[in-house]
Amino acid sequence: SGSGEYTGFVPDMQRRVLMNLIVVAVCAVPALVVLGGYAFYSSGATGDEVKELQSGAFWIDRRFGLGDKDNDRELVQGLKGDAYYLISTPDGIKDFAINATCTHLGCVVPWVRSANKFCCPCHGSQYDENGKVVRGPAPLSLALAHTSVLDSGDIAVSPWPEQDFRTGLDPWWS
Ligand code: FES
């Protein structure tokens, strides 16, 4: 009967709702983190502190960005005006940066430290700590760039044309 189908349907829906709630909870983006990230990005992006180098790389005034926290992610203006994450370690920064643009429809993806993931607030895509996609709808991992610390202590971000070390594939972004 109709009511039989209905009672079979409800627990299933409840499970699905519960699963969605769990996914949302694990990847919940603290509002302050998002606001902090955007505030940093806009202040970093509009000053003279980011300049284009002849090589097409960009440098970033170290004062503007990186705390010395281990395994933190700082949003900075990188190549072609895109936002990139630098990754801090106890010894400085990692030698790659992660493009913050979601490969689904282009939202800026916040880093969620508590989940150790990048979690897109727009449609729920998730990327691991190195920007490799682990949950759709995003079809591809976040793009990479090289980083290097200049003699001045500033940080240069430059193109990454080589193989993607996370997937072993040619880079889709170059
Ligand atoms: Fe990120 Fe759609 S833009 S999931």
Side-chain angles (χ1 to χ4, degrees):
S1 72
S3 65
E5 286 162 30
Y6 184 69
T7 51
F9 177 69
V10 169
D12 211 44
M13 272 304 289
Q14 286 174 335
R15 245 197 314 276
R16 208 169 308 163
V17 168
L18 186 63
M19 286 302 292
N20 282 341
L21 284 175
I22 290 169
V23 167
V24 168
V26 165
C27 235
V29 179
L32 274 174
V33 169
V34 176
L35 286 175
Y38 282 115
F40 172 80
Y41 176 52
S42 55
S43 63
T46 52
D48 309 336
E49 290 79 11
V50 178
K51 289 185 182 155
E52 190 167 4
L53 299 173
Q54 282 178 337
S55 60
F58 282 74
W59 67 256
I60 294 145
D61 186 325
R62 192 171 171 77
R63 288 169 305 173
F64 241 80
L66 223 48
D68 292 318
K69 274 186 286 179
D70 186 22
N71 198 33
D72 207 359
R73 305 287 184 283
E74 282 290 354
L75 201 53
V76 298
Q77 184 187 20
L79 301 171
K80 298 175 188 156
D82 279 353
Y84 277 79
Y85 284 101
L86 304 179
I87 305 171
S88 60
T89 75
D91 305 323
I93 58 162
K94 292 212 177 182
D95 60 2
F96 65 93
I98 299 169
N99 191 316
T101 309
C102 185
T103 62
H104 179 224
L105 291 173
C107 290
V108 171
V109 185
W111 167 245
V112 181
R113 193 179 171 90
S114 57
N116 209 42
K117 284 182 199 160
F118 296 94
C119 298
C120 187
C122 295
H123 314 96
S125 292
Q126 295 178 15
Y127 305 86
D128 76 6
E129 58 189 352
N130 293 328
K132 181 178 180 179
V133 66
V134 292
R135 183 172 187 266
L140 296 163
S141 297
L142 299 174
L144 296 172
H146 287 288
T147 61
S148 48
V149 180
L150 307 179
D151 288 343
S152 61
D154 297 327
I155 296 160
V157 179
S158 54
W160 183 297
E162 301 91 0
Q163 193 181 72
D164 183 340
F165 68 87
R166 304 163 301 184
T167 61
L169 301 174
D170 286 339
W172 59 262
W173 55 86
S174 72

